[in-house]
Amino acid sequence: MSVTENVLAKILRLTTTSTTSRVAQVALIYGSTWVLWKLVRRVAAKKKTSSLESVAGPDGGSLLAVSRGCVWLVEKTLYVFDPKALYHVIVKDLYIFEESKGFSVFAGLTWGQGLLATVGEQHRKQRKMLNPVFSMGHMRGVIPSFYEVVHRLSGTFENQLASSGGAKEIEMVHWVKRTSLELIGKSGLGYSFDALTENAVEHPYSRSVKMFNEVSSKLIFAQTFLLPLVHNIGSPKFRRWVVDTVPWKNLHELRDIVDVMHEAASEIVEVKKREYYENKTKEELGLDVDEGKAVKANMEADERDKLDDAELTGQIATLTFAAMDTTSSALARLLHLLSEHQDAQNRLRDEIQRAYASKRSGGRALSDEDEEETEGQLNYDELMNLSYLDGVVRETLRLYPPAPTVLRETLQDVVMPFSKPLLSSDGKTYITEVVVPKGTKVFPALYAANRNKDIWGEDAEEWKPERWVKASETGQKVVNERIPGVYSHLMTFIGGGRACIGFKFAELEIKVTLCVLLSKFKFNMPKDKNISWRMTPVVTPSVDGGNQPKMPLVVTRVQS
């Protein structure tokens, strides 16, 4: 081989070696970069998806809390009002964030196996059965029944004023509870509880249930921690013997209230089943039949969807209590606020009276029979078109939800994301989601969500019906955030598969009641009494810090 050939061979070997080396270097750099990036992402993910300990809690961090003279062992719980987190709790991961065992057991023992006590497929089946009760068609049809009930109440108020010189202090909780019970009884169950006259004997149900919140709130600790451990020990007869024997006054008071609720629900079921079969003949003859939709819907359901008598009784007990208690609380709050804000009361009265005047003066000619039937009544669309009434109701339900807190418990480990980064407990880093372990108690904070300044603005704590009126007139949204509530961007009636099934029904009851009462009466605060609201499971008013649910208002007749 010549010298030239030797040189060329060496150059070729060097070039090949150099190219191979460069390829190896590039591969090494690329591989190292890829590994480093994966490590960085893993570390970042660990920081973002943090454990529950990363969420800052209240100051002190003590395991003990003192409330109402009782010492509580506080569990690690999560209080949630972030919109994205609420969406996962209420909607997306609904069957992971289930009702707590303590509440489900308590609801089952108190009201039976109705909507409040059931979960999963049984809960979905029960909601399906109740849908006809709260359908739009049924609600439009029950408005005359609503008016008939509330006109009875206004007649009683007029009689009281006539005998007391035109003005009288009336205890409103007593009357709004009785009215709410009669509204759901007549319109949802086809059953009358109360004549709503001054001398009528109050139904045992209404009389007993008045103290339910006060009594049950004293047993929260036992409900949460003790009841899940002992509820299935022995037979039902043995457990009843224990309840009767244990010297526990609050437990005995609750027992008596539950007995009355169960007896009333059982009576309604039996009466409506008997009427259902009797009325089959009337339907064939074309006669008008007034029946309770709840029982009728179950009687006409497919066999696979039909509830047995125990479930149906539980459903009636649940429906009756929930509809009466929350609606009466909302009505009492509305009358309280309107008594404090006389300008708002006057504006609302003017809107209602203009609507009645327009109804009387416009439209087609009415026969004497039609005139008698529709006098003093607005139909569904007319009620919904009263913009200030709508604003007053929505704003009150936003700021003062009747049941401000619910409780959920995780059935498995789950990741909860946030809509914006949250400062962690170390005070330095931010997290965008957190791992919530199985068995964690979670409070979807309805009250706090409805007052979140990030959503509602700096005036979130203020009662401003105008915010809704302005949105209605301009066609703009009240808020831009996606809130998982079933009603008007609010968490008042929750959302998802466990949303309040009767929220539109309740709204309609409230609007009809306000239209009748405000068109005839003016409400003022008493000068010598201070009304405050107690945070029982369903909030209730009281006088001067007392335990009894009371709210006296001075009522006068509106000059026509």
Side-chain angles (χ1 to χ4, degrees), residues 437-542:
K438 176 182 178 181
T440 301
K441 287 184 170 57
V442 178
F443 286 94
L446 317 184
Y447 186 91
N450 287 352
R451 293 169 175 242
N452 189 343
K453 291 185 178 181
D454 290 342
I455 297 172
W456 296 96
E458 289 302 313
D459 62 353
E461 301 279 345
E462 300 176 37
W463 188 73
K464 287 187 174 181
E466 293 77 13
R467 77 175 80 235
W468 302 92
V469 179
K470 181 179 178 182
S472 175
E473 291 174 349
T474 61
Q476 297 176 343
K477 293 181 178 179
V478 183
V479 294
N480 294 318
E481 291 278 355
R482 182 182 179 185
I483 313 298
V486 70
Y487 173 73
S488 195
H489 302 286
L490 304 176
M491 291 304 301
T492 303
F493 296 105
I494 321 182
R498 296 196 75 91
C500 173
I501 194 171
F503 74 96
K504 293 298 290 182
F505 195 89
E507 181 191 33
L508 192 57
E509 287 178 303
I510 290 167
K511 288 185 175 182
V512 168
T513 303
L514 291 179
C515 281
V516 173
L517 295 184
L518 291 179
S519 66
K520 297 182 177 182
F521 308 106
K522 183 175 183 178
F523 298 88
N524 283 283
M525 298 292 295
K527 294 181 180 179
D528 58 342
K529 296 180 178 67
N530 179 46
I531 296 172
S532 59
W533 287 78
R534 306 181 66 246
M535 293 295 284
T536 45
V538 175
V539 293
T540 54
S542 63

Side-chain angles (χ1 to χ4, degrees), residues 338 344-352 388-389 392 518:
L338 290 170
Q345 185 180 157
N346 292 334
R347 178 177 173 181
L348 180 53
R349 182 179 295 107
D350 288 344
E351 181 182 64
I352 293 167
Y388 196 65
L389 173 62
V392 167
L518 291 179

Side-chain angles (χ1 to χ4, degrees), residues 100-110 113 117 223 227-228 231-232:
S100 69
K101 186 176 181 182
F103 177 80
S104 295
V105 172
F106 176 77
L109 293 174
T110 303
Q113 292 302 303
Q223 172 193 322
L227 187 59
H231 76 279
N232 56 0

Side-chain angles (χ1 to χ4, degrees), residues 425-441:
S425 56
D426 65 11
K428 300 176 182 178
T429 57
Y430 285 85
I431 54 177
T432 58
E433 53 190 22
V434 65
V435 175
V436 184
K438 176 182 178 181
T440 301
K441 287 184 170 57

